Amino acid sequence: MTWDKDTVRIVIFEAHTPAGKAFDVSLIIAILASVLAVMLDSVPWIHARFGEALYVAEWFFTILFTIEYVLRLWCIQNTALYARSFYGVIDLLGIIP
């Protein structure tokens, strides 16, 4: 399988393909794990014991979501249109903080 722009676009934006479904499920799991890490980090005794690991996890998810956003911009035909769309703005807001 070659990973050209069209293939990446199909995987990211076409949920009806097996690869698209796997991508969507993986992304949902990553989002839930990221939220869980942030929630756990806000509990003082968990932060005291696992703060460093949770910090690394938060950076891992930030980098992962940044790569996903960049891939979305790279593979889509009209980058500016996606970047200004509702989902494009939500994706950007998810990685900025």
Side-chain angles (χ1 to χ4, degrees), residues 8-84:
V8 173
R9 183 190 54 75
I10 290 169
V11 169
I12 291 177
F13 289 102
E14 304 294 331
H16 64 276
T17 66
K21 287 178 186 176
F23 177 81
D24 286 349
V25 169
S26 299
L27 189 58
I28 290 169
I29 290 169
I31 291 167
L32 292 174
S34 174
V35 170
L36 180 63
V38 171
M39 288 173 54
L40 290 173
D41 197 37
S42 69
V43 178
W45 72 268
I46 294 176
H47 175 78
R49 187 162 181 189
F50 302 104
E52 187 173 327
L54 292 170
Y55 179 78
V56 170
E58 289 175 29
W59 269 107
F60 169 78
F61 289 119
T62 300
I63 292 167
L64 182 71
F65 296 141
T66 301
I67 292 168
E68 181 243 348
Y69 181 72
V70 169
L71 283 174
R72 285 181 185 271
L73 291 177
W74 174 72
C75 72
I76 198 137
Q77 192 170 17
N78 192 337
T79 303
L81 183 63
Y82 176 76
R84 291 189 314 260

